[in-house]
Amino acid sequence: MSAYENPVADHRRKWDREEYERLAKERLSRENEEPDKDVPVRRELLKPRDYKVDLDSKLGKSVVITKTTPASQQGGYYCNVCDCVVKDSINFLDHINGKKHQRNLGMSMKIERSSLDQVKQRFEMNKKKKEEKKKEYDFEERMKEIKEEEEKAKAHKKEKRKERKRKADEDDDADGDPDMAALMGFSGFGSSKKTK
């Protein structure tokens, strides 16, 4: 008798439906008794950073990295919130502005809606800042700065003229005595200056 003819010799696995129904009912009863653990967490609204992102501190520095070097000291930018290393500054900025990083900080990606009063207050504050900057601008101080810049430019030009003159004098000294050069056969190889 072959396996196809004998229904007992079937190779398929048989499931005990009554056992699994009992397990499902127990799980449902436990879930109903316990308070919901998967209630969505109320996250903070997105807000601006109150710190400066450090992108320049490791710029131009060499670091020896071994197998045992911790991730925070390896090459690239380390995010201690997400425990990851990002290789360049652009990707690091994308990461810290991204959804995953903001979630790990406890923020949603939603922005607080500003009211009309808040917008008006912000405009007034910016207007006051501009007026304060205009008051700080002093005409006499600006004139002094301009004079100082002009004096520096004159001194720089004067120094360049002196340097050119000194180089020209050195070239004349290097040519030496023209009679001696002619005796040695160098009369045709000197500078492009015409001799008298």
Side-chain angles (χ1 to χ4, degrees):
M1 195 174 207
S2 69
Y4 295 107
E5 295 172 10
N6 187 359
V8 177
D10 192 4
H11 67 280
R12 293 187 179 180
R13 190 171 179 184
K14 303 289 186 232
W15 300 101
D16 188 4
R17 288 185 178 208
E18 292 146 7
E19 175 72 20
Y20 285 99
E21 284 178 14
R22 184 181 58 77
L23 290 173
K25 286 178 184 176
E26 286 177 11
R27 190 186 76 234
L28 286 174
S29 64
R30 269 184 295 175
E31 286 178 1
N32 290 337
E33 291 172 4
E34 295 177 8
D36 287 336
K37 292 180 181 178
D38 297 334
V39 174
V41 178
R42 184 74 180 159
R43 297 184 181 274
E44 268 184 81
L45 293 174
L46 199 60
K47 60 183 177 185
R49 273 189 286 280
D50 54 354
Y51 60 92
K52 187 178 183 297
V53 179
D54 180 31
L55 299 174
D56 305 351
S57 66
K58 293 184 178 179
L59 204 62
K61 294 185 180 173
S62 300
V63 178
V64 177
I65 300 172
T66 62
K67 291 179 182 178
T68 59
T69 305
S72 62
Q73 296 172 359
Q74 287 184 359
Y77 297 92
Y78 177 71
C79 174
N80 54 1
V81 175
C82 303
D83 191 34
C84 66
V85 176
V86 184
K87 295 298 177 191
D88 60 4
S89 60
I90 294 171
N91 286 333
F92 182 66
L93 288 173
D94 286 344
H95 168 76
I96 62 175
N97 292 328
K99 201 180 258 186
K100 179 183 172 190
H101 182 81
Q102 296 298 331
R103 277 222 175 104
N104 288 343
L105 282 175
M107 290 189 211
S108 67
M109 293 301 284
K110 295 179 182 171
I111 302 169
E112 180 184 359
R113 299 265 311 174
S114 298
S115 66
L116 182 62
D117 294 332
Q118 289 174 329
V119 173
K120 286 180 179 179
Q121 287 174 354
R122 189 71 168 193
F123 275 128
E124 287 177 21
M125 187 177 70
N126 288 340
K127 197 174 187 181
K128 287 178 184 176
K129 281 184 182 178
K130 273 191 175 182
E131 289 174 0
E132 287 175 7
K133 284 183 181 178
K134 286 181 181 178
K135 288 177 185 175
E136 291 174 6
Y137 177 75
D138 187 17
F139 182 74
E140 291 177 15
E141 287 181 23
R142 184 66 182 143
M143 290 303 292
K144 285 180 185 177
E145 288 176 7
I146 291 173
K147 285 182 182 178
E148 288 175 6
E149 288 176 13
E150 287 175 356
E151 288 174 9
K152 285 181 184 177
K154 284 180 184 178
H156 185 68
K157 284 181 183 178
K158 196 173 186 180
E159 187 66 34
K160 279 199 167 193
R161 278 191 214 124
K162 284 183 182 178
E163 192 174 320
R164 271 192 243 130
K165 194 172 184 180
R166 190 178 65 236
K167 282 187 179 180
D169 289 343
E170 287 176 5
D171 288 343
D172 287 343
D173 291 342
D175 288 343
D177 186 24
D179 295 331
M180 185 59 110
L183 259 176
M184 295 176 74
F186 295 129
S187 62
F189 296 109
S191 66
S192 59
K193 293 182 185 176
K194 294 183 180 179
T195 56
K196 294 180 186 176

